């Protein structure tokens, strides 16, 4: 039996409009005392003599969505959160654009700081999303998480 998990993927960069809409949905909730946001942005790193122009993200979506769900559930078990959103890009994301958006809310401010760090570290360590760094000269290499 297959379970369907929420799709956390979006094609290409995550726009500021998308982020603003997700945040705005929670402004009227009077039980929330704090929000915290992580925006993962593609860096234009210089590796050797080459500059990263973009990262092309890929994943086996069903497996990755399941793992994102597990990370989300583990975070809710560990922290007193009101809500959490996780979105990750697939496909090409240019240097300077957003590829990961994590948003957590809680009645208490200290909780959102700890929870956000926890969830981002779990994502980086456990979720099977792969990045191919595309250099300005169009050559590439597989990304090492950092």
């Amino acid at each position: 039996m297959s379970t369907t998990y929420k799709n956390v993927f979006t094609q290409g960069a995550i726009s500021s409009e998308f982020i603003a809409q997700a945040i705005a949905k929670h402004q009227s909730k009077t039980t929330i005392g704090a929000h915290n946001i992580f925006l993962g942005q593609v860096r234009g790193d210089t590796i050797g003599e080459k500059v990263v122009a973009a990262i092309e993200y890929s994943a086996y979506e069903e497996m990755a969505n399941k793992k994102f769900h597990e990370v989300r559930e583990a975070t809710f078990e560990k922290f007193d959160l009101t809500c959490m959103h996780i979105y990750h890009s697939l496909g090409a994301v240019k240097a300077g654009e957003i590829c990961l958006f994590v948003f957590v809310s809680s009645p208490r401010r200290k909780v959102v700081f700890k929870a956000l760090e926890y969830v981002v570290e779990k994502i980086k360590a456990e979720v099977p999303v792969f990045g191919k760094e595309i250099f300005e000269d169009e050559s590439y290499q597989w990304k090492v998480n950092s």
Side-chain angles (χ1 to χ4, degrees):
M1 187 170 96
S2 176
T3 303
T4 302
Y5 298 99
K6 178 183 177 196
N7 181 20
V8 303
F9 292 109
T10 182
Q11 286 298 314
I14 300 170
S15 71
S16 56
E17 292 82 15
F18 180 88
I19 294 165
Q21 289 171 1
I23 294 167
K25 291 177 187 177
H26 300 283
Q27 287 179 273
S28 63
K29 294 184 180 179
T30 59
T31 59
I32 296 173
H35 305 284
N36 203 359
I37 301 164
F38 175 84
L39 301 175
Q41 180 172 312
V42 173
R43 293 185 309 268
D45 288 344
T46 300
I47 301 170
E49 305 260 329
K50 298 179 180 185
V51 176
V52 174
I55 297 178
E56 185 178 325
Y57 291 99
S58 61
Y60 177 58
E61 290 183 53
E62 185 176 337
M63 181 187 297
N65 278 314
K66 179 179 187 274
K67 195 62 185 173
F68 273 115
H69 174 78
E70 291 170 3
V71 167
R72 186 178 194 283
E73 293 304 304
T75 306
F76 269 105
E77 286 179 23
K78 188 171 178 70
F79 300 96
D80 178 25
L81 296 177
T82 306
C83 72
M84 177 190 321
H85 295 281
I86 302 171
Y87 293 97
H88 200 295
S89 295
L90 286 180
V93 180
K94 295 177 184 173
E97 294 180 327
I98 303 300
C99 57
L100 175 61
F101 167 45
V102 182
F103 174 72
V104 295
S105 300
S106 173
R108 305 278 177 247
R109 67 180 164 77
K110 288 185 180 182
V111 172
V112 296
F113 293 116
K114 293 175 184 174
L116 190 64
E117 182 174 21
Y118 174 84
V119 72
V120 171
E121 291 301 322
K122 296 273 288 176
I123 289 168
K124 295 298 273 181
E126 298 178 14
V127 177
V129 174
F130 309 98
K132 183 170 37 172
E133 293 173 310
I134 312 294
F135 297 108
E136 289 177 337
D137 68 359
E138 298 183 13
S139 63
Y140 67 87
Q141 72 177 17
W142 288 100
K143 181 173 178 15
V144 177
N145 279 342
S146 59

